[in-house]
Amino acid sequence: MGLISKAISRTASIAIIAIVIIAILGVAIYYISQQGPTPTPTQTAPSPTTQISTPSPTATTTPTTTPTTSPTSSPTTIPSPTTSTTSPSPTPTTTTITISGVTLRVTPEFADFVERAKRGEVSVTIYFGHSLAPEERPTFEEVINMFMQQFPGVNVKIIAYGGMGDMQSAVVAAGALPPDQREALIGNAPDVFTWAHDWIGWMADAGYIVALEDIIGYEAIVDLQRQDIFVPAALSAVRYGGKTYGLPYAGEAIALFINTQLVSNIPKTFNELRSLMEQFYNPSAKTYGISGQIAGIYHLNPWATAFNGYWYDESSKRLGVNSSEVKEAMKFFISNVLRYMDVTDLGHDYQRRLFGEGKAPIYISGPCDVSYAKSTLGINNFTVIPFPEIDGRSPKPWSGFRNMYISVMAMAGGSERKYAAALLVLYLTLNDDVLLKLVKGNGYVPVKLSVADYINTHMDEDPIFKVVYGFFEQVMSSVPMPKDKNMQVVWGVDQYIQSILQVYTTTLSNTGSIDEAVKAALGVVDQYLDEAYAAVAPKIQS
């Protein structure tokens, strides 16, 4: 019994100790459960510095972990409720590529495509559309071939349209289709196309074009802005609603072509210009003081701005068609420019022939006519100057920027097609060799500052440089053409301008008197501009 009692006492003691230990553990577990799981330590991954691509002077890629600025991005939380472990370095959110010395942060998927396209490891076809003049096309074919040599994985087929209306119709027709039906239209509408920037507003609103940010990311555009790659007005011209719709590769504004075989002293003021027009104007000898297409408000904007007028202000949405300043400008043009012109035909082809055939010493036009002037007069026999001041006031034409658009067609047929379209846009707008070839071949005015600086410091390298730089100076003294959707109705003012011009030509034909024609046209300016305002103003959307 003594042994049994001792055994029982020992067993009871052990049981009591076990109960105490269990109680203590229970209390500890309770307090731990109330505090929650230990948070996983936040890890900051160092930015990788190793270049992952083969070095190339035109396109290289390097990974970076710079945070994306896309408004749709959100931080990712890695759950770890019970244990703390070391997570692998996160996948980079952007990767850099370099094109002609310009380094841009882009999405890893796009950077990977660039490398595979360069090595010929992809095979994708895209379509480039244009409505270029015949003399402009060979140089464009050359730069497209340069692109395909650099990126053999991308095949670019060219669609040449007869006019800008045909190209616009093709883009609109493709954009109007439901997305799932567009793939069947590949090859019948352009994936990338070129036109001035003034289509951006209404095409973006309608969903016909794609922003670069939606393909290569937002950081690339931030990099373009920070590095001062373009003339500031050029990059801002292709931005709309906070996004970038293509990139500019050339600027254009109308200026004065001067036949230096006929004019020895280049006019520096409008009074000197008017003296030249008076000297050469002799209709009986089929010579005229000045030539140039006069279709409407685009060609008359230099005179409107010289009198502090405007046709339409997109920032305020105001129509200035019948302001006193515009009326005064229109009357000045009729009295001091139109009277020295051959108004038999105010169309483009007829007016430029007057200049090319030596029948007019001065021609108002843009860079699109450089090739024509070269072929008719010879590159050493003409120059280009900005509009001279009128009593200290500078005439400022509208400036347009030749843009590389991406249409919604590029989004059909797989992601490689949209990447190929974006790569073509970047290459054609950032590659200095491409841009210089367009300068020398077509007389295009560069808006990439490195190319403009090269021209200015190598003026003797090519005679075309002096012509191009004359346009560059005019672009720098210009007003960017409005690009919002209201311009579609503002162009309706042109028909009222044509009515004023018709009064002039009809009176001249009936009377043979320039003074009578001027008087008759001046007499209807107020009436027709008031009518233009009344017709267009109600259509302006705020």
Side-chain angles (χ1 to χ4, degrees):
M1 290 295 293
L3 290 174
I4 293 173
S5 297
K6 290 179 180 179
I8 292 172
S9 298
R10 188 180 298 114
T11 300
S13 299
I14 293 171
I16 292 169
I17 292 170
I19 291 169
V20 171
I21 291 172
I22 291 170
I24 292 171
L25 288 174
V27 172
I29 292 171
Y30 172 81
Y31 279 105
I32 291 172
S33 67
Q34 294 302 304
Q35 293 175 354
T38 302
T40 302
T42 301
Q43 297 178 350
T44 302
S47 298
T49 57
T50 304
Q51 187 164 320
I52 62 172
S53 65
T54 305
S56 168
T58 57
T60 60
T61 62
T62 307
T64 174
T65 55
T66 305
T68 180
T69 59
S70 171
T72 59
S73 63
S74 58
T76 301
T77 302
I78 302 175
S80 181
T82 57
T83 61
S84 174
T85 60
T86 301
S87 301
S89 298
T91 302
T93 56
T94 60
T95 302
T96 62
I97 65 169
T98 300
I99 297 179
S100 194
V102 179
T103 299
L104 305 175
R105 291 169 295 162
V106 298
T107 63
E109 295 81 6
F110 179 68
D112 177 66
F113 174 83
V114 171
E115 288 303 310
R116 290 188 295 118
K118 189 194 307 180
R119 294 192 295 264
E121 296 174 357
V122 297
S123 180
V124 57
T125 298
I126 59 173
Y127 296 83
F128 172 70
H130 69 74
S131 58
L132 300 168
E135 60 265 25
E136 296 177 279
R137 297 177 183 182
T139 304
F140 249 100
E141 292 170 1
E142 286 185 47
V143 299
I144 293 294
N145 285 331
M146 288 170 61
F147 171 80
M148 290 191 291
Q149 290 172 6
Q150 182 68 38
F151 300 99
V154 180
N155 180 36
V156 181
K157 294 187 177 182
I158 298 176
I159 305 176
Y161 293 93
M164 68 95 170
D166 294 336
M167 182 172 67
Q168 184 184 100
S169 296
V171 173
V172 169
L177 288 174
D180 60 353
Q181 296 181 20
R182 289 175 187 152
E183 188 168 351
L185 202 61
I186 291 175
N188 295 301
D191 302 302
V192 177
F193 65 97
T194 180
W195 186 252
H197 75 276
D198 60 312
W199 284 1
I200 288 176
W202 68 273
M203 281 198 167
D205 287 341
Y208 299 150
I209 53 179
V210 181
L212 273 175
E213 289 89 342
D214 295 339
I215 300 177
I216 65 175
Y218 283 76
E219 289 83 356
I221 307 305
V222 172
D223 293 339
L224 287 174
Q225 293 170 325
R226 288 177 177 173
Q227 296 178 62
D228 294 328
I229 304 301
F230 297 105
V231 171
L235 187 57
S236 65
V238 300
R239 287 184 57 78
Y240 180 77
K243 289 190 175 182
T244 310
Y245 290 90
L247 287 175
Y249 63 94
E252 52 189 11
I254 57 174
L256 302 184
F257 285 75
I258 306 291
N259 184 331
T260 52
Q261 290 182 304
L262 300 177
V263 179
S264 55
N265 296 316
I266 305 300
K268 295 180 174 59
T269 66
F270 184 81
N271 287 338
E272 293 178 1
L273 177 64
R274 182 165 47 202
S275 295
L276 278 173
M277 292 189 286
E278 290 175 349
Q279 175 187 340
F280 283 91
Y281 185 72
N282 186 359
S284 61
K286 301 296 183 184
T287 62
Y288 304 90
I290 192 169
S291 65
Q293 179 184 12
I294 308 296
I297 60 178
Y298 176 82
H299 301 97
L300 295 172
N301 199 64
W303 317 108
T305 56
F307 288 84
N308 297 317
Y310 60 89
W311 301 103
Y312 172 70
D313 178 68
E314 71 178 332
S315 61
S316 65
K317 310 295 183 185
R318 293 181 61 186
L319 194 65
V321 171
N322 67 337
S323 66
S324 59
E325 292 85 0
V326 168
K327 289 178 178 178
E328 183 181 5
M330 189 72 198
K331 293 171 183 177
F332 177 90
F333 169 77
I334 293 168
S335 300
N336 296 280
V337 181
L338 186 64
R339 68 179 300 139
Y340 299 112
M341 298 181 68
D342 178 2
V343 296
T344 303
D345 181 347
L346 288 171
H348 175 254
D349 288 342
Y350 183 82
Q351 291 293 316
R352 77 172 183 174
R353 281 202 307 272
L354 292 174
F355 180 72
E357 295 170 3
K359 296 178 180 179
I362 305 159
Y363 175 48
I364 302 173
S365 190
C368 62
D369 277 325
V370 169
S371 295
Y372 173 80
K374 285 171 59 178
S375 65
T376 54
L377 297 180
I379 187 59
N380 294 312
N381 296 320
F382 74 96
T383 192
V384 171
I385 64 169
F387 284 89
E389 291 186 347
I390 303 172
D391 298 328
R393 303 186 303 268
S394 297
K396 294 183 178 182
W398 267 329
S399 51
F401 295 96
R402 288 177 178 255
N403 189 39
M404 287 291 171
Y405 291 82
I406 300 176
S407 85
V408 291
M409 280 302 301
M411 309 300 279
S415 61
E416 288 185 343
R417 282 180 28 84
K418 71 178 181 181
Y419 291 147
L423 180 57
L424 179 63
V425 168
L426 292 174
Y427 182 85
L428 294 179
T429 59
L430 296 178
N431 187 290
D432 286 16
D433 291 336
V434 164
L435 297 171
L436 276 172
K437 186 172 286 290
L438 291 173
V439 169
K440 294 180 178 181
N442 289 356
Y444 288 174
V445 182
V447 292
K448 190 183 179 194
L449 291 173
S450 60
V451 179
D453 289 342
Y454 182 89
I455 291 171
N456 190 33
T457 55
H458 295 76
M459 200 66 73
D460 295 334
E461 179 180 310
D462 194 306
I464 196 64
F465 284 0
K466 71 178 185 345
V467 173
V468 168
Y469 202 74
F471 278 118
F472 181 78
E473 290 181 310
Q474 185 68 84
V475 168
M476 296 299 285
S477 179
S478 65
V479 179
M481 191 187 310
K483 59 181 177 289
D484 76 13
K485 58 188 176 184
N486 284 325
M487 282 304 294
Q488 293 299 104
V489 298
V490 173
W491 293 119
V493 175
D494 284 357
Q495 64 179 301
Y496 297 91
I497 299 297
Q498 289 296 319
S499 296
I500 296 171
L501 298 176
Q502 186 61 46
V503 170
Y504 179 91
T505 57
T506 300
T507 304
L508 181 62
S509 177
N510 291 338
T511 66
S513 169
I514 293 174
D515 290 336
E516 288 298 321
V518 168
K519 180 180 178 180
L522 293 178
V524 298
V525 167
D526 289 5
Q527 171 194 337
Y528 281 119
L529 292 183
D530 287 342
E531 290 180 7
Y533 181 88
V536 174
K539 301 175 184 178
I540 299 295
Q541 299 179 28
S542 58

